[in-house]
């Protein structure tokens, strides 16, 4: 805490449901790969991404999910796809290993807080335990959390993507039947440069970009209220 408040400028979406619907139609034309195990009743999947770490991507993903659930009454899930640096469990005040649901193909039971169903690699780790895994193990863990979780009837599943535009992001972008993506940045030129790269990545993956969040767009002094 630096003695003030950091705020965000958000490009608001006039009709969230209409935009999700149009994006989902474009992204899932033909055979719908979503109809797999735990994703069978999930309507829309939205990625929250940044091409650069440290811009508040995970915080934005949590705020988006909680706002949709508590303010708009949307049935929401939140998947922490940042396998190497999971933080959603801490932000959502959740911990402990998930239990299994009964059935012929047991699925992980997501934890829930603030009306949001949550799954994260953090639930399977100690607080300071590193994940020293290569690509195939990361993909297997991600598939287990995405497809092997009993998400139930969700209207929106928010996916907190790992930062960057490398193999991990491309693999996840191709494995998730995304309805759209939200890109997070900060006002600095370097951060905006990387955000543009992230937008180009989603364009190449043919994933609609729903909007951009400019996080930490100004600092407000606690004492006098001055913004800069």
């Amino acid at each position: 805490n630096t003695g003030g408040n950091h705020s965000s400028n958000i490009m608001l979406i006039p009709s969230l449901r209409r935009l999700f619907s149009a994006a989902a139609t474009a992204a899932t034309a033909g055979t719908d790969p979503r109809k797999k195990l735990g994703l069978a009743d999930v309507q829309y999947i939205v990625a929250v991404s940044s091409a650069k770490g440290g811009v508040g991507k995970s915080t934005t993903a949590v705020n988006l999910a909680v706002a949709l659930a508590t303010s708009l009454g949307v049935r929401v899930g939140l998947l922490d796809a940042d396998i190497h640096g999971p933080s959603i469990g801490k932000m959502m005040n959740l911990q402990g290993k998930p239990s299994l649901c009964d059935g012929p193909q047991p699925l992980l039971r997501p934890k829930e807080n603030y009306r949001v169903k949550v799954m994260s690699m953090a639930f399977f780790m100690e607080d300071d335990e590193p994940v020293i895994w290569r690509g195939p193990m990361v993909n297997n863990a991600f598939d287990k959390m995405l497809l092997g979780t009993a998400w139930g009837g969700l209207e929106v599943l928010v996916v907190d993507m790992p930062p960057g535009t490398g193999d991990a992001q491309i693999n996840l972008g191709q494995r998730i039947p995304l309805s759209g993506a939200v890109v997070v940045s900060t006002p600095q030129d370097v951060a905006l440069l990387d955000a543009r790269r992230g937008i180009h990545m989603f364009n190449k993956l043919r994933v609609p970009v729903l909007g951009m969040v400019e996080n930490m767009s100004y600092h407000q002094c606690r004492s006098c209220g001055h913004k800069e």
Side-chain angles (χ1 to χ4, degrees):
N1 194 320
T2 57
N5 297 320
H6 293 282
S7 297
S8 304
N9 285 334
I10 302 176
M11 295 176 63
L12 297 177
I13 302 171
S15 177
L16 201 59
R17 292 180 188 270
R18 188 176 68 237
L19 189 54
F20 281 160
S21 180
T25 301
T28 60
T31 302
D32 191 349
R34 236 180 285 236
K35 306 304 180 185
K36 295 181 180 179
L37 296 178
L39 286 182
D41 297 318
V42 176
Q43 295 183 36
Y44 308 119
I45 303 179
V46 177
V48 177
S49 178
S50 68
K52 191 175 189 65
V55 298
K57 168 185 58 65
S58 296
T59 304
T60 300
V62 168
N63 287 336
L64 174 62
V66 172
L68 287 173
T70 59
S71 297
L72 299 180
V74 177
R75 300 188 303 275
V76 182
L78 177 58
L79 173 63
D80 190 351
D82 193 349
I83 304 296
H84 289 105
S87 57
I88 296 298
K90 180 73 170 179
M91 293 182 179
M92 293 293 290
N93 195 27
L94 294 169
Q95 59 184 351
K97 292 185 179 180
S99 59
L100 291 176
C101 300
D102 296 330
Q105 293 179 310
L107 299 177
L108 293 168
R109 182 177 284 109
K111 294 184 175 295
E112 185 169 347
N113 202 6
Y114 309 115
R115 303 181 185 175
V116 177
K117 295 181 178 181
V118 182
M119 183 56 64
S120 172
M121 190 66 192
F123 299 153
F124 304 93
M125 303 163 51
E126 299 295 332
D127 288 342
D128 56 352
E129 182 182 359
V131 178
I132 310 175
W133 290 353
R134 296 194 178 210
M137 293 182 68
V138 171
N139 290 336
N140 287 337
F142 175 76
D143 285 349
K144 179 62 176 175
M145 291 193 299
L146 176 69
L147 304 175
T149 297
W151 295 110
L154 295 183
E155 292 178 86
V156 180
L157 175 62
V158 177
V159 180
D160 178 28
M161 298 284 283
T165 57
D167 286 343
Q169 293 72 30
I170 295 173
N171 286 337
L172 295 183
Q174 292 175 335
R175 295 164 93 86
I176 305 174
L178 290 174
S179 305
V182 176
V183 177
V184 182
S185 181
T186 53
Q188 292 78 18
D189 289 342
V190 173
L192 290 170
L193 178 64
D194 289 335
R196 293 188 189 98
R197 291 176 178 141
I199 291 172
H200 291 322
M201 177 190 73
F202 284 116
N203 288 338
K204 290 183 178 181
L205 294 173
R206 297 183 178 179
V207 175
V209 176
L210 303 179
M212 179 176 173
V213 175
E214 185 185 76
N215 200 21
M216 294 178 272
S217 61
Y218 62 83
H219 177 269
Q220 183 172 2
C221 177
R222 270 190 193 170
S223 300
C224 66
H226 174 69
K227 296 180 181 180
E228 60 181 21

